[in-house]
Amino acid sequence: MSHKSAKDFFRPLAVGAPLPLREIPARPSRAIHFFDPSNEKMAAKIPGMIGTVDVLLGNLEDAVKADNKVAAREGLVKIAQATDFGPTQLWTRINALDSPWVLDDLTTLVPAIGEKLDVIMVPKVQGAEDIHYVDRLLAQLEAKAGITKPILVHAILETARGVANVEEICGASPRMQGLSLGPADLAADRKMKTTRVGGGHPGYLVRQDPPRDAEGNSQIDAQRAIFQQDLWHYTIAKMVDACATHGIYPYYGPFGDIADVVACEDQFRNAFLLGCVGTWSLHPKQIAIANRVFSPSVEDIAHARRVVAAMGDGTGAVMIDGKMEDDASLKQCLVLVELAAKLAEIDPELKAQYDAIPTSEVQS
């Protein structure tokens, strides 16, 4: 069996296509806000959202009716051509690769707005073969249209096979920007018994051990605390590991209960702590939650800067507030410090908060 040379991996897949990137830029993308380009009311709000959200995504797939697919595609072209997105990235989610619309999505969007499109999100990715197909087609379209920078690819994990093949998906192309969890379709594909879109489930729980009476007998009928568990913990952790291995970025997907902003924030924070860099936003109120959760707190940055300052050359160990900090601690803190610096470049309010951290607090 023959294999490509490693050197060939970073050569364009079409003559005249832009050189593939050797490293995926760590651009802030705390919230990926979905909008329907065929919805005129929604489309009219897009210019006013620039600078308030890291990513605006024109959705062509689910949530767009079959008879609106062409209107959504044409609407996205119109919006992109008429808009200066400034610091906000423009993404799109194309239709599934087995749909009758996807080829027209790609052959229309790349020539028309390829220079403005940062990332193409591909739904229901099953394995590396799906990425290889999109990779080659994008290279051909970029070459034909004279696109000067490669359009990146983001895959959604929405099938059991996709999760099983997550490592090969992440490493399938230099275009791979990241992965998102697609809990609703994944739940259906796995035959999971939940109709929720993301989040935990009251039936998926751990119950406190029963108390015992004076004779030592278990009182199984006594009232006991229960702890609702996260159906998606395993999948998110597996996704995060695969993305970290291949130098790309993991994202939580949608949280469907728009009204429950408390549970939404909890779920986003769990994903942030596990290593996700952002999440989807289905409603403007979720943008503020995502921006808050996926930005390190002032307290975390103050502590991280103290550790960095105290560690000097990064070797040895120091004691700060009664806790030992060593080279591993330094690496953890640098993750936060570097993220804060990138966020401060695009978020003036956050920059002001980080800049206000007293120097004495860092050096103490």
Side-chain angles (χ1 to χ4, degrees), residues 27 50-51 83-89:
R27 300 183 64 183
I50 292 169
T83 306
D84 179 359
F85 288 89
T88 296
Q89 298 176 59

Side-chain angles (χ1 to χ4, degrees), residues 201-214:
H201 195 287
Y204 192 67
L205 56 86
V206 172
R207 190 180 302 271
Q208 186 181 35
D209 287 347
R212 295 181 180 275
D213 62 17

